[in-house]
Amino acid sequence: KQEVTQIPAALSVPEGENLVLNCSFTDSAIYNLQWFRQDPGKGLTSLLLIQSSQREQTSGRLNASLDKSSGRSTLYIAASQPGDSATYLCAVCRNTGKLIFGQGTTLQVKP
Amino acid sequence: GAVVSQHPSRVICKSGTSVKIECRSLDFQATTMFWYRQFPKQSLMLMATSNEGSKATYEQGVEKDKFLINHASLTLSTLTVTSAHPEDSSFYICSAPARAGARGEQYFGPGTRLTVT
């Protein structure tokens, strides 16, 4: 059974810091891995999608890496801003299209 | 980009009543849609896969008679919570794959907050 774990569960940093969020999964047979952002009481915003054959994806200040063999992905946020405060979720996609989500990392960036 | 809408965004109902939640793909067709549930401070849990023109497939532990799913067209899936109870209070979110085949990028609806009193 696929399990997805995110560490840390919560993170508080001062504005401007670079930070790394971690995601690990137990079954390497994935189709892709996605990172999402969720603001309180809101739906999901897709940030980055990494196909199983890719090693990383970049979008602006965000960079996500994938090491399928070790079952790990990281989301790197450069020069964090207060507007980055949210919960970040990673999810692995199986061949069926089903997404298995981690518990999320709640990030607070202090001005 | 593709948009998925949900209606209603928020609903409060009395225990024992049924509630219908709609999920629509606005500018693309979706033969498959997914329904998720999120309890407070928890992550999203897949409930079921909605298939256009056929029965939905439910995840283990999800009661199919309680959570009725109908995918009557290529742009609409509905989730009906029957005889709702306070423990069904949750945030329900649907998603639809961007392309046929279910895999790949998915677009998520904004969610429906259900409160059962």
Side-chain angles (χ1 to χ4, degrees):
Chain A
K1 178 185 175 184
Q2 178 73 272
E3 293 183 2
V4 181
T5 304
Q6 289 186 247
I7 295 173
L11 183 62
S12 180
V13 300
E15 181 177 5
E17 258 195 30
N18 302 324
L19 55 100
V20 175
L21 307 182
N22 298 291
C23 174
S24 61
F25 47 96
T26 54
D27 186 350
S28 62
I30 64 171
Y31 186 74
N32 62 49
L33 183 144
Q34 301 178 48
W35 283 93
F36 296 90
R37 168 185 172 139
Q38 185 176 32
D39 291 289
K42 304 292 185 182
L44 302 183
T45 300
S46 179
L47 298 174
L48 290 165
L49 182 152
I50 311 176
Q51 300 291 354
S52 62
S53 58
Q54 297 176 323
R55 299 286 288 185
E56 66 176 348
Q57 283 286 336
T58 299
S59 176
R61 294 182 293 109
L62 304 180
N63 175 276
S65 68
L66 174 64
D67 184 343
K68 202 171 72 164
S69 61
S70 68
R72 293 180 182 179
S73 176
T74 61
L75 178 66
Y76 176 83
I77 302 177
S80 58
Q81 302 171 358
D84 295 331
S85 299
T87 295
Y88 291 82
L89 297 165
C90 76
V92 297
C93 181
R94 296 150 65 175
N95 282 343
T96 56
K98 297 179 181 180
L99 291 178
I100 309 298
F101 283 84
Q103 293 290 88
T105 294
T106 299
L107 171 65
Q108 181 182 32
V109 181
K110 299 178 180 177
Chain B
V3 176
V4 174
S5 69
Q6 281 185 241
H7 177 79
S9 59
R10 187 180 296 266
V11 58
I12 301 173
C13 70
K14 292 185 177 180
S15 184
T17 61
S18 294
V19 175
K20 180 184 285 188
I21 302 170
E22 294 184 349
C23 177
R24 291 182 186 273
S25 56
L26 296 185
D27 56 0
F28 66 104
Q29 294 181 337
T31 56
T32 300
M33 291 183 177
F34 299 97
W35 285 97
Y36 296 84
R37 178 169 55 184
Q38 185 178 35
F39 291 109
K41 304 292 185 183
Q42 296 187 26
S43 192
L44 279 76
M45 295 296 293
L46 179 65
M47 299 176 65
T49 303
S50 175
N51 303 297
E52 189 269 335
S54 64
K55 292 182 179 180
T57 55
Y58 292 81
E59 295 301 300
Q60 189 174 8
V62 178
E63 301 175 56
K64 62 180 182 180
D65 294 330
K66 181 169 182 62
F67 299 98
L68 301 179
I69 291 174
N70 184 17
H71 197 146
S73 77
L74 289 172
T75 59
L76 174 64
S77 174
T78 61
L79 168 68
T80 301
V81 184
T82 62
S83 187
H85 289 93
E87 57 265 31
D88 298 323
S89 298
S90 186
F91 193 52
Y92 292 85
I93 305 178
C94 68
S95 73
R99 296 178 187 82
R103 301 178 294 182
E105 186 175 10
Q106 292 189 22
Y107 298 109
F108 280 80
T112 296
R113 175 77 58 191
L114 170 64
T115 303
V116 184
T117 61

